[in-house]
Amino acid sequence: MRYVRIFFIFFQDAFVNRSTSFVWFLLALFNPLIALLFWRGAFQSGGAALIGWSYQMIASYYLLLVVANTLLMPHIEMEIARRDIQMGMLSNYLTRPFPYLLLKLFSELPWRIIQTFFAVSVLLFITIGLRVNVHIAQDPFLLVFTLVIAAAAHLVAFMFKMVLGLSALWVTDFGGLSEFADVVIIIFAGFVVPLALFPQWLRPIAEASPFAYMIYYPLVSLLGQISIAGMIRVLAGEIIWFSVLFVLYRVMWTSGIKKFTGIGQ
Amino acid sequence: MIISVSDLSKHYRVHKKEPGFLGSLRSLFHREYETVKAVDDISFTIDGGELVGFIGPNGAGKTTTLKCLSGLLYPTAGRVSVLGFTPFDRKTAFLKQIALVMGQKNQLWWDLPASETFLLNKEIYEIPDSEYKKTLNELVDLLEVEQILKVQVRKLSLGERMKMELIAALIHTPKVLFLDEPTIGLDVVMQKKMRDFVRAYNEMHKSTILLTSHYMEDVRQLARRVIIIDHGKILYDGKLDQLVKKFAKYKVLSVILESYVPPDKLKEIGELTDYDFPRAVIRVPRSASNVAAAQILQKFPVDDLNIEEPDIEDIIRDVFTRKP
């Protein structure tokens, strides 16, 4: 119950800043919609016939990508690097008897929920109001398994962003690193095109990377494009990546905290 | 003994770069580093219930010491024990008994009333409901903030925010409180209120308080014991009144003259630090103050004469500039 109460206190902070959430949601909305417009043009001109995906599948992919992005992708790295480390606010966390990792998780979850509320509202408007057919898996078991994969995906993304943020303990110009990470995530998490459409030489690399487990796999699971065996493999991959990132986080935290000088405090 | 520090050092390695583009290029291939001794081999102990003032100029090592004591910084060398714990281990039992308040940074949520931060801390510190209500009521009464409990933090004045910061930091009733510049930026009225609160809290809870401040008045009003630190080294550790005897090697003769006396004549008595006829202020060696006073009365037309101890701020300034 203690954790639930802490979550609800953080929820109030995110709720009071719901306009900020809405701006973040718009960012998550526009890129997939623009990509969808491009695909629409490609299909209408017949140029997309060879990819093996129907327009309905592509449309479903990008519309659900908005929901997946708002729900699964945390944006904690800048706050960790700039506010906590570079401005010294980490001191406030270090002198309180509660793990920093959990406080960050609790503070981020409400933002995901509020932004997802906006995303689902838009999705419902598109599917019901505009009568666009969004394809998702029909088997309830697959849907439940997708939820498990999605939860694990969020944890993988969360740990990656924690590690990225903590790198500010060593890196002076965090902005450059963050920009680079964003570009890599956009490409390898499936924001630009589904990884299935990647060139043959790049596809195995992209599919094995942690970024695919953050967004792409939960998304194609929801679309019903992965079998049960495939889902189990995805979950195993998520557990492996989470474990690797968690160990990396622990190593960085243990050694980085000794470097932390609380500059700005 | 609540706090024990022995041979504590905290050194930083700082990168040095020559100015200009060439300097940048050179530092790409050959980086020069300098070791800064923020705290250099200091030792002291503090008993339970003591309120100790930590004084020093900017960069003296006050905040670094406080950070080592609260577990924020990993010492380069030496041993630190607070409440029987090694601070840097940051054990939950340790963190539940201490609080660190930094005047320039806050833990309050900007867009919510401060009461929400208090509630978060209640959960973080696992404070039972009844204890939380009792402590909160006590702190709210002491700081007179009942009217602003439900006001968004962003709409509070700096002084009001600082009061709320103190409540957030003290809601778990810490045994040891580290206050780093708690009155910085506050007006004189609010500074006095904060001092009154710290004194009342110390008396009420017998908590151990270590206070740093740039304002001598904070230390003078609150702390009977002071630790003076400069360049990472302790220059003095003892009672405030003893500081005068130890470091003030001079006394101040404050003279009101009946008629004008040329400054050169007054300088024959001692160091003329201020002369705005009819008032003259002369520094003389402590041991010669009576003789100097007699000379003034004999040689000059004097309306009034006082032999005074130097101002404590002057003494401390002298300690820092090494000319006691």
Side-chain angles (χ1 to χ4, degrees):
Chain A
M1 278 308 286
R2 180 189 177 207
Y3 289 161
V4 175
R5 286 196 293 268
I6 289 175
F7 168 78
F8 277 111
I9 294 169
F10 275 112
F11 191 87
Q12 290 182 62
D13 182 47
F15 191 71
V16 98
N17 288 293
R18 51 195 178 276
S19 54
T20 311
S21 275
F22 188 71
V23 172
W24 276 98
F25 154 72
L26 290 179
L27 282 173
L29 176 69
F30 281 136
N31 285 341
L33 286 189
I34 288 166
L36 192 53
L37 282 177
F38 164 79
W39 279 106
R40 189 180 169 84
F43 271 97
Q44 280 174 348
S45 65
L50 294 175
I51 63 168
W53 283 46
S54 66
Y55 177 70
Q56 192 205 354
M57 284 302 288
I58 282 287
S60 301
Y61 180 88
Y62 283 105
L63 289 174
L64 291 173
L65 180 60
V66 179
V67 179
N69 187 14
T70 53
L71 181 65
L72 304 179
M73 188 57 75
H75 298 286
I76 50 172
E77 68 278 18
M78 209 48 101
E79 184 175 276
I80 293 172
R82 293 269 155 80
R83 186 173 163 274
D84 293 354
I85 294 173
Q86 291 172 348
M87 290 171 66
M89 296 303 281
L90 187 57
S91 302
N92 278 337
Y93 295 96
L94 293 176
T95 49
R96 291 201 269 183
F98 201 85
Y100 179 64
L101 184 80
L102 282 183
L103 274 179
K104 283 288 153 194
L105 186 64
F106 284 129
S107 67
E108 176 63 14
L109 268 178
W111 292 86
R112 298 297 104 237
I113 291 169
I114 292 169
Q115 286 173 39
T116 305
F117 169 79
F118 291 130
V120 170
S121 302
V122 168
L123 189 67
L124 287 176
F125 171 75
I126 290 171
T127 51
I128 299 169
L130 303 181
R131 297 188 179 188
V132 174
N133 193 8
V134 173
H135 179 86
I136 59 169
Q138 300 298 310
D139 185 344
F141 183 74
L142 286 182
L143 286 173
V144 171
F145 213 130
T146 298
L147 281 179
V148 175
I149 285 176
H154 178 70
L155 292 178
V156 171
F158 178 80
M159 283 314 303
F160 176 78
K161 293 294 183 87
M162 281 297 291
V163 166
L164 184 62
L166 283 187
S167 66
L169 285 161
W170 289 270
V171 177
T172 316
D173 179 19
F174 177 77
L177 184 67
S178 174
E179 293 275 331
F180 176 71
D182 280 346
V183 170
V184 173
I185 289 173
I186 284 170
I187 295 168
F188 287 95
F191 283 101
V192 181
V193 290
L195 302 192
L197 307 182
F198 270 32
Q200 283 302 316
W201 63 270
L202 187 59
R203 189 172 160 183
I205 299 168
E207 287 180 342
S209 76
F211 314 108
Y213 290 90
M214 296 173 190
I215 295 285
Y216 179 70
Y217 285 127
L219 190 50
V220 289
S221 296
L222 184 60
L223 286 167
Q225 292 191 344
I226 304 183
S227 63
I228 288 291
M231 284 178 145
I232 291 169
R233 277 197 296 276
V234 168
L235 190 60
E238 286 175 329
I239 292 169
I240 289 167
W241 272 118
F242 177 80
S243 305
V244 168
L245 289 165
F246 184 75
V247 169
L248 189 57
Y249 160 78
R250 287 299 305 169
V251 170
M252 288 174 78
W253 178 255
T254 311
S255 59
I257 276 317
K258 289 183 182 176
K259 276 175 66 74
F260 177 66
T261 56
I263 291 166
Q265 282 276 40
Chain B
M1 191 193 317
I2 293 288
I3 297 173
S4 164
V5 175
S6 78
D7 309 317
L8 173 68
S9 291
K10 177 66 189 176
H11 299 172
Y12 296 105
R13 204 158 162 254
V14 181
H15 167 223
K16 279 172 68 181
K17 184 186 96 60
E18 294 295 322
F21 179 68
L22 274 179
S24 298
L25 272 183
R26 212 172 290 134
S27 75
L28 267 180
F29 301 101
H30 179 67
R31 285 209 152 195
E32 277 186 47
Y33 288 94
E34 182 184 33
T35 299
V36 175
K37 294 178 177 179
V39 172
D40 189 16
D41 197 20
I42 65 169
S43 303
F44 60 88
T45 59
I46 295 175
D47 288 328
E50 266 196 282
L51 202 166
V52 179
F54 222 50
I55 311 171
N58 285 339
K62 307 182 297 287
T63 304
T64 304
T65 308
L66 241 56
K67 284 178 177 176
C68 286
L69 293 177
S70 56
L72 278 182
L73 290 186
Y74 190 77
T76 308
R79 286 186 306 280
V80 180
S81 168
V82 177
L83 295 158
F85 294 92
T86 301
F88 195 76
D89 292 345
R90 285 201 300 279
K91 295 256 166 54
T92 300
F94 167 71
L95 295 174
K96 281 187 173 181
Q97 297 182 73
I98 67 147
L100 171 67
V101 179
M102 293 180 153
Q104 290 169 304
K105 288 285 177 288
N106 63 65
Q107 59 167 308
L108 301 172
W109 269 309
W110 197 240
D111 295 308
L112 292 174
S115 52
E116 300 298 343
T117 306
F118 306 157
L119 278 173
L120 177 68
N121 281 3
K122 172 188 179 289
E123 299 302 335
I124 284 176
Y125 287 96
E126 298 178 279
I127 308 166
D129 283 348
S130 58
E131 201 182 312
Y132 170 75
K133 281 177 191 157
K134 183 172 158 277
T135 311
L136 184 61
N137 288 338
E138 177 195 302
L139 292 169
V140 165
D141 286 348
L142 269 175
L143 287 162
E144 301 166 354
V145 289
E146 195 174 357
Q147 301 300 317
I148 51 171
L149 271 179
K150 292 175 183 170
V151 177
Q152 253 186 333
V153 170
R154 63 160 68 243
K155 292 186 177 152
L156 300 177
S157 70
L158 180 63
E160 289 170 337
R161 282 210 302 274
M162 197 60 216
K163 285 178 173 181
M164 295 306 197
E165 280 295 334
L166 276 175
I167 296 179
L170 299 174
I171 199 73
H172 61 290
T173 327
K175 286 183 181 161
V176 178
L177 177 58
F178 301 108
L179 293 173
D180 188 25
E181 306 282 358
T183 56
I184 198 159
L186 303 182
D187 62 42
V188 283
V189 178
M190 196 55 79
Q191 281 179 27
K192 185 178 178 310
K193 283 186 179 173
M194 296 301 277
R195 281 197 290 269
D196 291 345
F197 169 77
V198 172
R199 188 188 302 111
Y201 189 83
N202 174 247
E203 284 166 6
M204 199 180 286
H205 291 277
K206 305 291 173 223
S207 46
T208 308
I209 300 177
L210 192 50
L211 162 91
T212 78
S213 180
H214 272 90
Y215 302 118
M216 196 54 220
E217 200 56 25
D218 285 352
V219 179
R220 199 198 327 248
Q221 294 287 329
L222 291 172
R224 284 203 303 158
R225 176 183 166 195
V226 293
I227 296 174
I228 300 181
I229 186 169
D230 193 19
H231 294 99
K233 290 207 174 278
I234 290 179
L235 304 180
Y236 176 80
D237 179 359
K239 293 204 167 136
L240 197 55
D241 47 13
Q242 294 292 320
L243 177 73
V244 178
K245 286 180 189 153
K246 182 167 181 183
F247 286 100
K249 299 284 168 62
Y250 61 88
K251 284 200 176 187
V252 175
L253 303 183
S254 182
V255 189
I256 305 294
L257 297 164
E258 276 180 356
S259 57
Y260 184 76
V261 175
D264 289 349
K265 294 281 181 193
L266 293 170
K267 284 178 184 168
E268 288 170 9
I269 304 294
E271 185 187 349
L272 183 66
T273 56
D274 188 23
Y275 188 25
D276 184 13
F277 179 77
R279 186 173 177 272
V281 180
I282 305 166
R283 269 185 180 191
V284 295
R286 210 174 171 81
S287 55
S289 59
N290 288 339
V291 176
Q295 276 183 333
I296 289 172
L297 290 169
Q298 261 181 358
K299 288 185 179 176
F300 310 122
V302 174
D303 189 34
D304 191 20
L305 186 145
N306 282 309
I307 304 176
E308 299 164 352
E309 292 290 0
D311 194 84
I312 194 120
E313 288 184 34
D314 290 337
I315 299 171
I316 289 168
R317 198 177 303 121
D318 284 347
V319 171
F320 293 145
T321 52
R322 311 291 163 109
K323 45 168 199 176

